[in-house]
């Protein structure tokens, strides 16, 4: 129930995912129709994580739209300080003047919207927070000269093939463009020669599509070490309740030899 007292109070920001806010707005619109609340509302779209409080700015500003954001890059939100860091050395990745962007690294965020730590979990806090207040997001990405930053994948999903970093999202985008693929997910698996290898889990749209055909298609668009060494076909991929593919479940279930 929306109380009439809400109309005379200055409400704080209300955080929430789009699905939850849609329900709230439906209730608020009903209240407005009956004169309980004023007609206007302000919504600020932000991109972030619980740890950096997306409701208070997150670390990307979803209202900053231009040609670069159309390609998946985002401009840091107001008050958010970002670093692109090599996880191995914990130093900033180098900027390449030819490409106009940094090398891929982990995105670290600092600002007033970033948490101080996990409640009563000092060990977990130490894993993600630095001594000078940066939150290690676990997202891998790069930044251009204008500060626009693009996430390429999650650090935990990165595959290390013969010393090369491979990001599943890049391979999935290529495989998904094949007309015979309905959906796919890419994970790493242990390999004696390369340390890890790329494994593609695929739901076919065309049952006639073969492993060789899909690997040939991938090879035409990807560097050799990124091409899936194995392709496993499924009737369906494991997913969460909200439809997100569970890469962890695929990693925990080794592909057949």
């Amino acid at each position: 129930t929306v109380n009439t007292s809400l109309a005379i109070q200055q409400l704080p920001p209300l955080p929430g995912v789009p699905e939850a806010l849609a329900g709230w707005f439906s209730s608020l619109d009903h209240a407005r129709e009956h004169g309980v609340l004023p007609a206007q509302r302000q919504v600020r779209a932000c991109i972030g994580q619980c740890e950096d409080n997306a409701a208070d700015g997150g670390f990307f500003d979803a209202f900053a739209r231009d040609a670069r954001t159309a390609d998946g890059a985002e401009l840091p939100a107001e008050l958010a300080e970002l670093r692109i860091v090599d996880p191995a050395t914990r130093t900033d990745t180098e900027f390449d003047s030819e490409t106009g962007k940094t090398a891929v690294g982990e995105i670290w965020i600092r600002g007033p919207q970033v948490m101080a730590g996990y409640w009563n979990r000092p060990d977990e806090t130490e894993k993600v927070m630095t001594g000078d207040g940066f939150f290690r997001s676990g997202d891998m990405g790069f930044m251009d000269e204008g500060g626009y930053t693009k996430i390429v994948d999650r650090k935990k999903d990165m595959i290390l093939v013969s010393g090369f970093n491979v990001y599943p999202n890049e391979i999935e985008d290529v495989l998904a463009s094949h007309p015979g693929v309905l959906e796919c997910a890419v994970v790493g698996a242990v390999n004696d020669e390369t340390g890890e290898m790329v494994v593609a889990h695929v739901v076919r749209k065309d049952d006639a599509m073969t492993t060789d055909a899909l690997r040939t298609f991938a090879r035409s668009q990807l560097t050799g070490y990124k091409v899936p060494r194995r392709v496993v076909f499924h009737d369906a991929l494991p997913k969460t309740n909200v439809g997100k593919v569970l890469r962890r479940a695929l990693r925990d279930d080794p592909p057949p030899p």
Side-chain angles (χ1 to χ4, degrees):
T1 302
V2 179
N3 193 292
T4 55
S5 64
L6 293 178
I8 59 174
Q9 298 181 31
Q10 184 175 357
L11 300 180
L14 174 67
V17 296
E19 292 81 0
L21 290 179
W24 266 89
F25 289 153
S26 177
S27 298
L28 294 178
D29 288 340
H30 178 75
R32 288 189 187 90
E33 291 174 5
H34 291 79
V36 177
L37 289 176
Q40 294 183 344
R41 68 187 181 208
Q42 290 185 332
V43 181
R44 181 173 179 81
C46 296
I47 302 169
Q49 302 174 357
C50 295
E51 290 87 347
D52 56 61
N53 193 2
D56 204 24
F59 59 91
F60 287 145
D61 184 350
F63 280 161
R65 308 283 89 188
D66 67 8
R68 285 175 287 194
T69 60
D71 189 41
E74 303 287 348
L75 191 66
E78 185 178 357
L79 302 180
E81 180 182 354
L82 267 62
R83 293 176 58 193
I84 308 297
V85 178
D86 183 332
T89 64
R90 295 195 175 183
T91 59
D92 292 351
T93 59
E94 294 185 3
F95 180 81
D96 188 331
S97 58
E98 292 187 4
T99 63
K101 60 186 181 183
T102 68
V104 173
E106 185 178 15
I107 300 173
W108 290 13
I109 311 105
R110 181 170 66 183
Q113 72 273 51
V114 175
M115 69 170 187
Y118 297 114
W119 179 253
N120 288 335
R121 297 170 65 189
D123 293 342
E124 293 300 313
T125 298
E126 187 177 359
K127 293 178 183 178
V128 299
M129 298 299 298
T130 67
D132 55 354
F134 277 93
F135 167 60
R136 298 194 285 264
S137 71
D139 289 320
M140 303 295 288
F142 59 84
M143 183 183 294
D144 70 14
E145 68 277 5
Y148 281 78
T149 303
K150 182 174 182 178
I151 296 175
V152 298
D153 224 314
R154 291 288 290 167
K155 178 182 173 182
K156 65 182 180 181
D157 292 328
M158 186 179 71
I159 306 167
L160 193 62
V161 180
S162 298
F164 294 101
N165 295 336
V166 177
Y167 300 99
N169 279 341
E170 178 187 5
I171 304 171
E172 290 170 359
D173 287 345
V174 169
L175 298 181
S177 68
H178 189 289
V181 173
L182 179 62
E183 60 179 347
C184 62
V186 169
V187 298
V190 176
N191 182 268
D192 292 337
E193 297 177 3
T194 59
E196 286 187 295
M197 65 178 178
V198 177
V199 179
H201 295 265
V202 176
V203 177
R204 285 181 282 199
K205 187 184 300 182
D206 178 2
D207 290 339
M209 186 184 64
T210 65
T211 296
D212 288 342
L214 189 58
R215 293 188 72 244
T216 299
F217 177 79
R219 193 176 293 112
S220 69
Q221 302 184 54
L222 295 168
T223 306
Y225 63 85
K226 298 179 181 179
V227 175
R229 291 279 292 269
R230 291 183 186 172
V231 177
V232 182
F233 294 115
H234 299 260
D235 293 329
L237 298 178
K239 296 178 180 177
T240 66
N241 292 335
V242 295
K244 184 178 180 180
V245 174
L246 286 168
R247 284 176 176 167
R248 181 182 66 254
L250 296 173
R251 282 195 298 266
D252 293 343
D253 185 17

